[in-house]
Amino acid sequence: MYHSKKIGIFISHIFGDYQRTLCQGITDRARECGYATEVFASADGEDFGAYGNGEKSILRIPHFEDFCGVIFASGTYLQRELRNQISQVLRGKCSCPVLEVAQHDAIFPQLKLGNGLCAANLTVHLIEEHHCRRICYLGCSPELVSSDPRRELCAQVMAQHGLTLHKEDAADCEYTRDSVNRALAAFLAGPEKPDAILCYNDRMAVIAMEYLLRQGLRIPEDICVTGFDDITVSKNCSPDLTTVTFPVYEMGCRAFELLHEDILGKASLPPETVVPSEPIYRGSCCANKKHALPNPLFYENHLLRKIESRESAMLTDIKLSAALHSVKDLDDGMDLLEEFVDSIEDCREFYICLYPGWDQIPGRIRQIASMPDTREDADQVLLSFAYRDGVRLPECRFLGKSILPEYLYHAANPSTICFPLFYGEREFGYAALTFDDGKISANFSLLLFLRNINAMLERIFDQRQTGVLVHRLEDISNRDELTGLPDRNGFRAAATELIHEAAKKGSSVTAMQFMVSDMQSIREHYGRTERDFAICVAGHALENAISAENTCISHQGGGEFLILFLAEKEESGRQADQVVTRTESYLEHYNRLHTKPYEIHVTSFRQTVRVTDSVTLEELYP
């Protein structure tokens, strides 16, 4: 394999700016040093309900023994369950160094941002530079693990300056205007207005600024506002927002460098490494730093492009969902995907790999349907879809010792991103993709794309399972209760199909009719039960006599049986004679070995007909 040096990265919500930038820093620096990276991405925390249970199948994809080192961005996982599962697997299966990127509760050597110090610095700045006495904290209830430490640092700094962050001066809100507005209304309700509001992040800060301006307050003259994250809107609002910028790309580079030093044996991973962040003081707290709003045309165009991109993603999602909805065959689904894969921005390679038995019918249903247990080779993975540089590559199977077949590993783009394919608890396989020039260009529309693939695979599986049960139900419903052979309806369906096949081949069919002899006499002398018994024995004799393929048999009722088989005219007589001989031999042995007061015999009729499209069953059995 080309890449003998490989780094594994576990991260959730790679669609977010922080996650993409962090991964970009890691992968860029790794590539400079000749390392491949495999990114194992989850969507943990999205409101998928039971559907999201399958996220844990991300742990089935990696080949842990291939890694020189692992970077675990545990702070990106919103649900602790998946985070803990990954931690346990890494501890159990990784003999290489593991670095954890997290702000809190790290198990492995930790790399984190120094955002706590910035929360303290912002508070010091508000008190010492702007003489703020009453500072309120606007927290975030969905992200308390990060929000609460910032509030505590704010309270500590205020206490050091003889001030108090009162209970009524702190609130945890959701990312909605109503939630933020209620908290701000409470802050403003007393006779003493706040001097400043320290917000958990920029997203909450811009909502707060809108409310404050609508209340007629001037920023920063009447009240100061600060945020965190330095998102695009913070530079383009008026006034521009005081915030904290995080060197996320540099943090990714540093993560690899720490890991690389350990891999080379130069230095073990330190227990904790802090990457400093910097506050940016702008017009929302410093009137003298208030910048004139940049030409709004640029930001408006940025927003328009973003809206157009989201609308395009939604339309593609609708089209793809509609196209895949009626897919019943895997190959048809893969052909349809080829028409849509170009919609993934900057995508260079896209692969769908399915586990052995991904569509295996459960044992209980196989038992009901009398299906054999045909298991696939457990080591073989199916590459059902392969797309590279605008070209569809052929399907193949490969040993699951790597995430892709050997020939697909190449030097041009050594950064692969993997997503699990699943539906609830059912694991299908995974998607693997790369982007142009090693970019980490994954956006939220990719999540929609993958969701459609998961839904398609689930429908194919369900349709196959339902088809097996329906076929079994039809088979049962078209069988005679007495003999277990097909009844009139079952025979008509099978015989009609056989006649059509014979017509296509220009072949002949032979129609045979058998009647159990002395039916009336057996019933009169020995009763209905013995008559039915004689019919069953005759049915077993006829069923045992049939050996050729393309043959239909049925019990039509009473003592009548029909057989229809496809054969060339010169062979039909010989095959019909064999059926009669075998039936008579079976019944002769039965009559000799059993002590019934009567014997069971059958009489027969036959005719062979060259089939045309106009031939009917009524003509074959006049």
Side-chain angles (χ1 to χ4, degrees), residues 15 60 62 86 168 198 200 213 284 294 308 343 363 374 441 484 489 613:
F15 320 104
R60 184 173 173 180
I86 295 174
E168 60 270 18
L198 185 70
Y200 165 68
L213 291 171
S284 66
E308 288 172 0
S343 67
T374 54
S441 298
N489 293 330
D613 290 335

Side-chain angles (χ1 to χ4, degrees), residues 2-243:
Y2 172 77
H3 297 295
S4 58
K5 300 189 296 183
K6 191 182 299 181
I7 299 296
I9 303 170
F10 289 83
I11 195 163
S12 188
H13 292 78
I14 198 172
F15 320 104
D17 290 336
Y18 167 83
Q19 288 90 330
R20 284 200 307 268
T21 307
L22 178 69
C23 281
Q24 195 70 70
I26 298 170
T27 57
D28 285 352
R29 193 73 184 91
R31 183 164 52 171
E32 291 174 7
C33 296
Y35 285 78
T37 53
E38 290 179 353
V39 182
F40 302 96
S42 310
D44 151 73
E46 298 294 347
D47 188 15
F48 291 145
Y51 170 77
N53 294 340
E55 287 283 359
K56 65 179 180 295
S57 65
I58 191 71
L59 291 166
R60 184 173 173 180
I61 306 172
H63 298 271
F64 294 95
E65 66 278 5
D66 293 342
F67 297 139
C68 300
V70 169
I71 295 174
F72 176 32
S74 65
T76 63
Y77 292 83
L78 301 183
Q79 299 294 331
R80 295 194 66 87
E81 182 179 358
L82 181 57
R83 173 181 174 174
N84 292 339
Q85 287 174 333
I86 295 174
S87 295
Q88 291 172 8
V89 171
L90 292 177
R91 280 185 291 180
K93 293 189 175 183
C94 282
S95 57
C96 61
V98 179
L99 176 66
E100 188 167 358
V101 181
Q103 294 302 113
H104 312 282
D105 304 326
I107 297 173
F108 302 99
Q110 178 183 14
L111 178 66
K112 67 178 184 177
L113 286 165
N115 65 1
L117 182 60
C118 282
N121 288 342
L122 282 176
T123 309
V124 169
H125 176 79
L126 292 171
I127 295 171
E128 295 184 355
E129 295 296 325
H130 302 293
H131 311 292
C132 296
R133 312 303 295 169
R134 184 186 175 199
I135 300 174
C136 295
Y137 181 78
L138 190 65
C140 179
S141 54
E143 300 178 34
L144 291 177
V145 68
S146 297
S147 179
D148 284 349
R150 293 179 188 175
R151 182 187 61 193
E152 291 167 6
L153 281 167
C154 176
Q156 289 174 15
V157 171
M158 290 179 68
Q160 291 167 5
H161 288 76
L163 304 173
T164 302
L165 178 65
H166 297 286
K167 183 178 180 181
E168 60 270 18
D169 289 341
D172 294 317
C173 306
E174 297 178 351
Y175 287 118
T176 64
R177 280 180 170 78
D178 287 345
S179 180
V180 172
N181 291 351
R182 283 195 300 271
L184 293 174
F187 292 163
L188 298 172
E192 181 186 355
K193 300 295 186 289
D195 298 312
I197 297 179
L198 185 70
C199 299
Y200 165 68
N201 61 13
D202 293 356
R203 185 176 169 186
M204 304 202 81
V206 294
I207 300 174
M209 288 171 67
E210 179 186 6
Y211 177 83
L212 295 171
L213 291 171
R214 288 184 183 279
Q215 299 305 309
L217 295 171
R218 296 171 302 162
I219 303 173
E221 291 81 4
D222 297 326
I223 189 168
C224 297
V225 179
T226 68
F228 268 79
D229 294 343
D230 194 24
I231 61 177
T232 304
V233 69
S234 66
K235 326 178 173 59
N236 290 277
C237 59
S238 181
D240 46 348
L241 179 63
T242 291
T243 185

Side-chain angles (χ1 to χ4, degrees), residues 431-468:
L433 67 157
T434 70
F435 294 99
D436 291 336
D437 302 321
K439 296 177 183 175
I440 305 294
S441 298
N443 55 43
F444 194 76
S445 63
L446 181 58
L447 179 62
L448 303 178
F449 195 89
L450 295 171
R451 184 204 62 182
N452 277 310
I453 295 174
N454 286 340
M456 176 194 68
L457 294 173
E458 173 68 6
R459 283 193 296 270
I460 291 173
F461 175 85
D462 284 345
Q463 286 166 351
R464 180 166 182 252
Q465 182 171 268
T466 301
V468 167

Side-chain angles (χ1 to χ4, degrees), residues 385-399:
F385 184 85
Y387 173 96
R388 186 174 68 187
D389 295 329
V391 177
R392 174 89 176 269
L393 303 179
E395 175 187 293
C396 71
R397 293 184 183 273
F398 65 97
L399 286 176

Side-chain angles (χ1 to χ4, degrees), residues 80 218 244 264-265 346 355 417 431 489 491 522 545 561 610:
R80 295 194 66 87
R218 296 171 302 162
V244 173
L264 296 178
D346 297 326
Y355 295 135
I417 305 174
N489 293 330
F491 181 74
I522 294 174
F561 296 86
R610 174 70 65 177

Side-chain angles (χ1 to χ4, degrees), residues 568-586:
E568 295 300 331
K569 196 160 188 177
E570 56 272 15
E571 288 290 321
S572 62
R574 183 182 63 81
Q575 291 186 18
D577 288 342
Q578 285 181 349
V579 172
V580 172
T581 300
R582 289 172 180 171
T583 302
E584 290 177 346
S585 175
Y586 183 100

Side-chain angles (χ1 to χ4, degrees), residues 236-530:
N236 290 277
C237 59
S238 181
D240 46 348
L241 179 63
T242 291
T243 185
V244 173
T245 183
F246 297 115
V248 179
Y249 180 85
E250 291 76 9
M251 185 181 184
C253 295
R254 183 64 178 141
F256 174 79
E257 290 165 357
L258 288 168
L259 200 63
H260 194 213
E261 290 176 359
D262 193 308
I263 292 169
L264 296 178
K266 293 182 178 180
S268 298
L269 286 171
E272 180 179 289
T273 303
V274 178
V275 177
S277 49
E278 296 292 336
I280 303 175
Y281 299 112
R282 295 188 180 128
S284 66
C285 73
C286 303
N288 61 331
K289 294 182 179 291
K290 189 184 293 188
H291 294 291
L293 187 66
N295 190 328
L297 177 64
F298 298 106
Y299 187 55
E300 288 172 4
N301 282 335
H302 166 76
L303 294 177
L304 285 173
R305 287 193 298 271
K306 201 165 187 177
I307 292 169
E308 288 172 0
S309 176
R310 295 287 173 87
E311 288 179 344
S312 176
M314 290 174 63
L315 289 172
T316 300
D317 177 50
I318 292 169
K319 291 176 183 176
L320 181 58
S321 179
L324 297 180
H325 183 73
S326 59
V327 168
K328 297 180 180 179
D329 179 77
L330 181 64
D331 291 336
D332 292 342
M334 297 300 104
D335 291 341
L336 278 170
L337 282 181
E338 186 177 1
E339 302 174 19
F340 288 88
V341 72
D342 281 331
S343 67
I344 303 175
E345 187 177 356
D346 297 326
C347 182
R348 178 181 178 185
E349 300 170 273
F350 189 88
Y351 307 103
I352 294 178
C353 303
L354 300 177
Y355 295 135
W358 72 272
D359 61 346
Q360 181 77 28
I361 302 298
R364 176 59 180 159
I365 293 180
R366 287 201 310 273
Q367 183 180 5
I368 293 172
S370 302
M371 289 179 64
D373 186 2
T374 54
R375 296 186 181 274
E376 298 181 37
D377 186 342
D379 294 329
Q380 292 282 327
V381 176
L382 172 64
L383 180 67
S384 62
F385 184 85
Y387 173 96
R388 186 174 68 187
D389 295 329
V391 177
R392 174 89 176 269
L393 303 179
E395 175 187 293
C396 71
R397 293 184 183 273
F398 65 97
L399 286 176
K401 295 180 179 179
S402 57
I403 61 172
L404 291 173
E406 295 277 349
Y407 77 95
L408 292 174
Y409 281 94
H410 53 89
N413 197 340
S415 181
T416 305
I417 305 174
C418 300
F419 298 89
L421 296 176
F422 61 91
Y423 201 96
E425 297 288 345
R426 188 170 295 123
E427 301 174 0
F428 300 130
Y430 53 91
L433 67 157
T434 70
F435 294 99
D436 291 336
D437 302 321
K439 296 177 183 175
I440 305 294
S441 298
N443 55 43
F444 194 76
S445 63
L446 181 58
L447 179 62
L448 303 178
F449 195 89
L450 295 171
R451 184 204 62 182
N452 277 310
I453 295 174
N454 286 340
M456 176 194 68
L457 294 173
E458 173 68 6
R459 283 193 296 270
I460 291 173
F461 175 85
D462 284 345
Q463 286 166 351
R464 180 166 182 252
Q465 182 171 268
T466 301
V468 167
L469 292 172
V470 169
H471 179 76
R472 179 58 176 162
L473 184 60
E474 288 176 345
D475 184 57
I476 293 172
S477 66
N478 288 332
R479 286 190 177 272
D480 171 54
E481 292 184 10
L482 181 61
T483 63
L485 296 173
D487 60 12
R488 292 175 181 271
N489 293 330
F491 181 74
R492 177 171 290 277
T496 300
E497 185 176 338
L498 190 61
I499 291 170
H500 288 163
E501 183 180 347
K504 288 180 183 178
K505 295 180 177 180
S507 301
S508 299
V509 293
T510 296
M512 303 185 71
Q513 182 184 36
F514 291 82
M515 293 295 298
V516 179
S517 305
D518 302 326
M519 289 289 298
Q520 187 68 24
S521 175
I522 294 174
R523 179 181 177 183
E524 289 178 356
H525 290 89
Y526 306 107
R528 181 191 296 267
T529 301
E530 290 299 319

